[in-house]
Amino acid sequence: MAGSMYNKILRIDCRKKSASDWTVPDDVKDYIGGMGYGTKILVDEVSPQVDPLSPENKLILTVGPLTGTSAPMFAQSCIVTKSPLTGTILNCYTGGFLGPEIKFAGLDGIILEDRSEEWILIYIEDGRVSFHSAQPVLGKSTGETEEFMKDKFGKHVRTLSIGRAGENAVAMASIFSETRTFGRGGSGAVLGSKHIKGIAFRGSQGVDVADRKGFAELTAGNMQIIKKACAEEYNLVGMFSRVGTGAGVGMINGKGALATQNHIYGVFDRGSEIDGYAYARKFYTRAISCYGCPVHCGMLHKFRKKDNTESWLRGPEYETMFSLGSDLLNGDPVTLAEANQICEEYGMDTLTTGVTTAWALEMAERGIIKEPGLHLKFGDRNSILGLLRKIGEREGIGDLLANGPKKAAEITGMDTLSCSMQIKNSGFAAWMPRRMKGLALAFATSNRGACHKRAPIGAEITGQVDMDTIEGKPAMVKEIQDKVNAIFTLIGCRFHEFVTHTDYYTGFLEAATGKKLSVEEFIRVGERIWNLEKLFNLGAGFSRRDDNLPGRCFEPIKGEKSEGAVMTHEQFKTMLDEYYSLRGWNHGGVPETRKLKELGISRYESLLK
Amino acid sequence: MAVGFDIDAQKCTECERCMMACSLMKLGYIQLGHSRIIIRRQWPEPPGINICRFDDCEGQPCIEVCPVEAIANRDGLVLIDRDTCTGCEACVDACPHQAIRMDDENLALKCDFCGGEPACVKECVSEALCKRGV
């Protein structure tokens, strides 16, 4: 092993139940790892026009050069596939311990191809693959499936699994890994379409780096920076380390930017009853880390359910406090925890599922949809928990909602689309585009639909820049999209960049692998990936028309503190034109030939034909 | 002179940096199977922390049970002499803290306190694992 990568990816043919080693070729290595590998391989091997749930789609699970090393906050692994929710290319991530275990198994990733005839579990031990019947766990929750695999393959395995939502092809089904989740975009339905219920990994091999001394010095330096941030009272990462990501709710709510009641309002009057501090105050709380992470933002809470049984949950996270909390007018921390648990059992993205539920509740209150046995009222426990189960089961109204918020509105008709808070059928994250104009552009232009991971949220919410202005936002959005894409080749936690200078990424990369890149070259890899994704989406039929916001974003936010924030069509058009121009794309959002040449991806222009 | 750890499992966040540090110290690279400290997840409860307790281990049964006297207490540091160890695994079974296991060469392996400055302690950010002093 030279450096921290094994240069080996397993290709698994699900139909033939066979696997072969694939040596990573040099043109893939140019994409560093993680999201870069996944994007390059998918674009090379899968037509943009395939049905995401057909055997022709592939699911690529990768790790990066820093996975499994001592570098802090690089625990995540990445999935790239074509999304059944959005129809775009998808990249999504899970924390925990799955990524390091894949690396310890001597792999840089796996590629799942074709479809198994029968439901299976896959076990991968040090690169060797075996296939097993999933019959005993069919219909079971993600947690039960995980437990079954630990019993069957050994208690030390690290797993990923789907629940009933993935089995039922729910468009926002996600893949769970020991309470962490590949949340966005419906990767759980893709795994389900391949008839894979779960995968367990076990690795006993090591991870070495090219320059041990240099790497140790960088790790020590970076650890000092993160520990210092954790000790600071008003540092966001420090707040996360104390009460979890839910620490942020109060700040957002205070600025009138916490989406409430399907994004009608920007303030939730019971926000402080469901935030991170409330959970820490009301319930037993224990901080749990991902592999090697000094921030430990994943909070385990023990609580008593409404039926008086003892239970526990790792979460809810900040975004879920919006999607199953404020957006549904749910101010009860127990109901929120139980709603989170239902999403975990079924294996569903709490964001898009919550956003779709909020839309359904509003439509029901307007008399447009109904469901026997459920009142369908905002804030009503039974309505919320009932709808979530129905989505997971694709039962009754749940069958409509399981298509995602945009498709459900399109099927329903009657001008219900304008209040479906999604982009490309992916539900909004907790932030309000009308309140934060840079975020609005980031949501609209994201290659995976309504993505908050590549938005200038920090700068806007902390007041470094005026969140209401459109000035300078296109350049900011482009910069952060390219930078985060580059960081996701190493699969750094998104919070890592909050406190760490970009020099660290190139420093770590060189010390781990010997690959020397300037910061500019590193970010250029991110831009190349961004354009490759864009070409795939254009090839799939997307256009400028899809880089847009739902109608509600062009109406003022109601309520106090939000100052009636609104986006005008003119403002949005100005930002989008400037953004396309900065990207070297034409007015329709299509990359110009010279831009593709500059990025070294001219040959992918054929995707546009 | 007391050798031991102050361990508070409630504070442990299960990040496994201690296991990483142990492996890096002993091997120079990361291979968690070779770590002499093991964090054992038992959600929702705090983890089990398997490591030699030295002076805090009552009776130190590993020393007693070793048929070839390969384990000895040297000024508080309970150490295994690899040249003498025959790999019989008696100490593995006897250890009340599940802190001894067999390595790739089938010899008993346990924490040696890094001679006085345990690498794992330095890496523990939550102070779940502290050094009592030598």
Side-chain angles (χ1 to χ4, degrees), chain A residues 116-383:
Chain A
S116 168
E117 289 295 331
E118 66 285 355
W119 282 92
I120 53 171
L121 299 167
I122 299 177
Y123 179 45
I124 301 172
E125 184 181 1
D126 284 328
R128 293 181 302 275
V129 186
S130 56
F131 301 87
H132 308 262
S133 170
Q135 209 56 44
V137 282
L138 265 196
K140 300 285 187 193
S141 71
T142 55
E144 289 165 332
T145 305
E146 189 174 289
E147 228 165 88
F148 180 84
M149 287 194 282
K150 285 180 188 282
D151 282 345
K152 188 173 173 72
F153 304 123
K155 63 183 176 183
H156 296 298
V157 301
R158 303 291 187 178
T159 63
L160 60 84
S161 65
I162 58 169
R164 290 173 70 86
E167 292 179 34
N168 294 335
V170 171
M172 52 281 223
S174 56
I175 297 172
F176 273 74
S177 178
E178 304 175 352
T179 75
R180 305 290 87 182
T181 174
F182 294 97
R184 314 290 338 252
S187 63
V190 177
L191 201 64
S193 76
K194 302 200 172 301
H195 289 162
I196 297 169
K197 180 71 175 160
I199 307 177
F201 290 88
R202 180 67 179 149
S204 64
Q205 300 177 53
V207 176
D208 204 353
V209 292
D211 170 12
R212 291 182 182 180
K213 186 166 171 287
F215 199 90
E217 283 168 6
L218 281 165
T219 296
N222 200 195
M223 283 292 286
Q224 282 310 317
I225 291 167
I226 298 166
K227 281 197 270 189
K228 183 172 171 288
C230 287
E232 289 169 2
E233 191 175 357
Y234 294 109
N235 189 304
L236 209 49
V237 170
M239 289 155 74
F240 293 170
S241 78
R242 288 185 286 279
V243 299
T245 54
V249 171
M251 183 171 63
I252 313 307
N253 211 14
K255 298 203 175 198
L258 179 65
T260 300
Q261 196 178 353
N262 198 27
H263 276 255
I264 292 175
Y265 303 95
V267 175
F268 183 41
D269 58 5
R270 283 178 289 160
S272 62
E273 292 171 42
I274 54 164
D275 68 4
Y277 297 97
Y279 276 91
R281 202 170 52 242
K282 291 175 187 172
F283 306 109
Y284 168 94
T285 300
R286 192 161 69 79
I288 296 182
S289 297
C290 294
Y291 172 84
C293 181
V295 180
H296 50 72
C297 69
M299 297 293 159
L300 184 150
H301 301 291
K302 286 188 198 171
F303 69 103
R304 200 172 276 278
K305 291 164 93 160
K306 290 282 180 202
D307 66 6
N308 219 20
T309 54
E310 292 273 0
S311 193
W312 65 274
L313 172 78
R314 192 154 162 230
E317 298 293 342
Y318 165 77
E319 301 287 348
T320 305
M321 291 168 178
F322 141 75
S323 64
L324 300 177
S326 63
D327 211 32
L328 307 181
L329 290 187
N330 170 26
D332 174 19
V334 172
T335 298
L336 175 53
E338 289 186 43
N340 197 148
Q341 282 182 320
I342 290 171
C343 288
E344 191 167 314
E345 285 162 21
Y346 278 94
M348 299 191 290
D349 173 23
T350 56
L351 274 178
T352 297
T353 309
V355 165
T356 311
T357 303
W359 173 85
L361 293 176
E362 185 175 331
M363 293 311 103
E365 291 194 353
R366 277 164 53 179
I368 292 172
I369 63 173
K370 58 186 173 187
E371 178 69 8
L374 291 177
H375 292 300
L376 300 188
K377 294 276 182 214
F378 277 101
D380 175 56
R381 173 185 160 84
N382 290 337
S383 300

Side-chain angles (χ1 to χ4, degrees), chain A residues 517-586:
Chain A
L517 293 179
S518 68
V519 166
E520 291 71 28
E521 288 167 331
F522 177 63
I523 289 173
R524 187 50 73 99
V525 175
E527 186 184 11
R528 197 197 308 153
I529 297 167
W530 190 269
N531 279 268
L532 212 48
E533 290 180 276
K534 183 70 180 178
L535 290 173
F536 185 92
N537 288 348
L538 290 165
F542 287 85
S543 67
R544 178 174 177 131
R545 214 163 33 96
D546 302 292
D547 290 353
N548 205 351
L549 301 167
R552 177 156 288 167
C553 291
F554 299 101
E555 298 161 7
I557 302 176
K558 291 183 183 169
E560 291 175 5
K561 293 186 190 167
S562 305
E563 299 161 60
V566 70
M567 172 77 78
T568 67
H569 288 284
E570 189 53 37
Q571 280 179 319
F572 184 71
K573 181 180 177 300
T574 303
M575 280 203 297
L576 195 61
D577 285 346
E578 190 183 333
Y579 170 84
Y580 282 175
S581 165
L582 284 168
R583 279 236 167 264
W585 298 354
N586 70 18

Side-chain angles (χ1 to χ4, degrees), chain A residues 1 6 66-71 100 103-104 203-209 212 215 219 291-292, chain B residues 16-17 19-35:
Chain A
M1 181 184 190
Y6 278 95
L66 304 185
T67 314
T69 70
S70 62
K103 180 70 78 70
F104 299 154
S204 64
Q205 300 177 53
V207 176
D208 204 353
V209 292
R212 291 182 182 180
F215 199 90
T219 296
Y291 172 84
Chain B
E16 299 190 0
R17 287 202 80 84
M19 295 172 65
M20 256 185 233
C22 182
S23 172
L24 282 167
M25 172 62 79
K26 299 302 180 191
L27 303 175
Y29 57 92
I30 290 176
Q31 195 164 10
L32 298 185
H34 283 257
S35 169

